[in-house]
Amino acid sequence: MSKLTTSRSELDLDRPNIEDYLPPDSIQQPHTKLRLRDLLDISPTLTEAAGAIVDDSFTRCFKSNPPEPWNWNIYLFPLWCLGVVVRYGILFPGRVLILTIGWIIFLSCYIPVHVLLKGHDKLRKRLERALVELICSFFVASWTGVVKYHGPRPCARPKQVFVANHTSMIDFIVLEQMTAFAVIMQKHPGWVGLLQSTILESVGCIWFNRSEAKDREIVARKLREHVEGTDNNPLLIFPEGTCVNNNYTVMFKKGAFELGATVCPIAIKYNKIFVDAFWNSRKQSFTTHLLQLMTSWAVVCDVWYLEPQNMKPGETAIEFAERVRSIISIRAGLKMVPWDGYLKYSRPSPKHRESKVSAASVGRKIEIIECEALLQR
């Protein structure tokens, strides 16, 4: 024990004193009394640190987690190479053929129905609804989709709206193959936008543009009109407003919960054993996303149609939305986070945040100085 004490003291003597290497003016004596204004000097640093933590927890909702590599092994690498040959050389061409046949059947039936039955709206809508469900089934087959539906199949009723968590645009396809929903969706460019403005328009879908403020008023009016209609297709809304990576749920927009209608929650959970179904629209196009699904082994998914919910007495639309979000999150095993998904598209610039922080810091300093002056009196 004495040897240990001696060695520790020798180490302490050998350890350099950092104060010997600093100029005398840089060494400040500790204050006898720590004041709040001293803490404010480091408030910008603390704010930046807290902002970094918040930013990390926010971006985590929109990151796809790549699978850990398992094939860099002399025994497993040949099997992985064989799997690549099967997926790209056999499965992918077969899936392209299936999707091509589906489009041929769909267009050869849809165009005559849409053109020749314009005077028979009820029959035309019924046939168009069945054809949209058919082409969505071909899409799911082109991924070798293994989708398990739980609960009663949705049906068209007035004063009713369906809401679901959102992982990818394929959420709509997975749900549409069972029931022809009229969906609220962002307007997309390219071939997806062409389908939106032609085929999906026939089932009553409503499109909007996030950058247009007027679209919000138009969409709100169309939502109310659609919910009040008796012959309209069931209305489907993704209240998160953006695709989340199927590990979290972000805040639900309250628009779907202000309609005075019964809200029917739908929980969607993808199994990532073969492929991650999350679509990061900022990094890849929807075409690339579809090719990724079509070159995987399969898309495995569970869909739960949950018990309809109504707004309780004294409950606000925001509270109602959070209650429904909690039901969906619990059923699908997702973690709830208090972030607005629209921040993914429009986030404040660093200069704007810095100006806000400095202005708030100056305001706090002034308030504290005034309080100290009053206390001294």
Side-chain angles (χ1 to χ4, degrees), residues 324-352:
V324 172
R325 181 164 77 111
S326 175
I327 293 172
I328 292 175
S329 301
I330 292 172
R331 177 64 272 185
L334 307 175
K335 184 179 179 181
M336 297 175 61
V337 292
W339 307 126
D340 187 346
Y342 276 4
L343 292 175
K344 174 183 175 182
Y345 300 97
S346 56
R347 304 181 67 182
S349 63
K351 290 184 178 180
H352 179 74

Side-chain angles (χ1 to χ4, degrees), residues 125-146:
K125 286 183 178 179
R126 189 183 307 128
L127 292 175
E128 287 177 346
R129 187 184 304 132
L131 288 172
V132 170
E133 292 177 2
L134 176 67
I135 189 61
C136 288
S137 298
F138 274 105
F139 265 106
V140 175
S142 69
W143 321 320
T144 313
V146 182

